[in-house]
Amino acid sequence: MTTAVHDSLTLQVHDLEAMVLTGIYSEETHLAQPLRISLDVEMDCPPHFTPDTPLSASKSYMDLRHAATEALPQGVHFTLIEGVADHIAETLFLQDPRVKRVQVKIIKLAIAEAGESIGITLVRHRR
């Protein structure tokens, strides 16, 4: 019995900073706060990448950057950063049907007291 092997490609964009309206405390609900966002996006890939493989065989890193920055709705308050992560994942799924899995890590920079990283990691699979 043989097991099929499924190749995949993971694109990564880490440590983007975006100002987002998020939080549950009164001091957080009216001012955007800085978030550090990292993405790992798994997608189908062709059997081989050759020196002349076109970009269409992969995905532009700028699409990932866009989903984590400009594609976040302006003026919308996300109660939880989990909602921010979910919005980013859904944007990436809508952009490209080859995207199979999205991991979004968000660090809330404004609440760190001694340089620690406080945040979440959300993993979504295409359904």
Side-chain angles (χ1 to χ4, degrees), residues 44-62:
D44 290 335
C45 67
H48 298 284
F49 286 100
T50 62
D52 60 347
T53 300
L55 177 58
S56 62
S58 184
K59 185 168 183 58
S60 173
Y61 300 105
M62 298 311 289

Side-chain angles (χ1 to χ4, degrees), residues 23 32 36 39 42 48 56 59 67 75 79 93 96 98 100 103-104 110 112-113 122 124-125:
R36 180 171 296 132
L39 306 173
E42 184 179 316
H48 298 284
S56 62
K59 185 168 183 58
T79 303
F93 288 133
D96 194 322
R98 298 172 300 166
K100 300 300 178 201
Q103 177 175 304
V104 183
E113 294 178 4
L122 177 76
R124 289 278 191 228
H125 297 265

Side-chain angles (χ1 to χ4, degrees), residues 5 42 45 53 72 77 80 101 104 123:
V5 176
E42 184 179 316
C45 67
T53 300
L72 291 172
H77 179 266
L80 302 175
R101 177 185 175 275
V104 183
V123 176

Side-chain angles (χ1 to χ4, degrees), residues 4-80:
V5 176
H6 177 74
D7 295 334
S8 67
L9 172 68
T10 302
L11 300 178
Q12 299 175 324
V13 174
H14 290 179
D15 300 326
L16 295 170
E17 289 194 18
M19 297 297 289
V20 180
L21 283 168
T22 184
I24 59 170
Y25 301 110
S26 60
E27 64 271 13
E28 296 177 315
T29 59
H30 64 286
L31 295 174
Q33 61 178 294
L35 302 178
R36 180 171 296 132
I37 302 170
S38 295
L39 306 173
D40 292 320
V41 178
E42 184 179 316
M43 57 187 295
D44 290 335
C45 67
H48 298 284
F49 286 100
T50 62
D52 60 347
T53 300
L55 177 58
S56 62
S58 184
K59 185 168 183 58
S60 173
Y61 300 105
M62 298 311 289
D63 293 342
L64 279 63
R65 175 187 257 295
H66 174 78
T69 56
E70 291 90 16
L72 291 172
Q74 295 297 310
V76 173
H77 179 266
F78 291 88
T79 303
L80 302 175

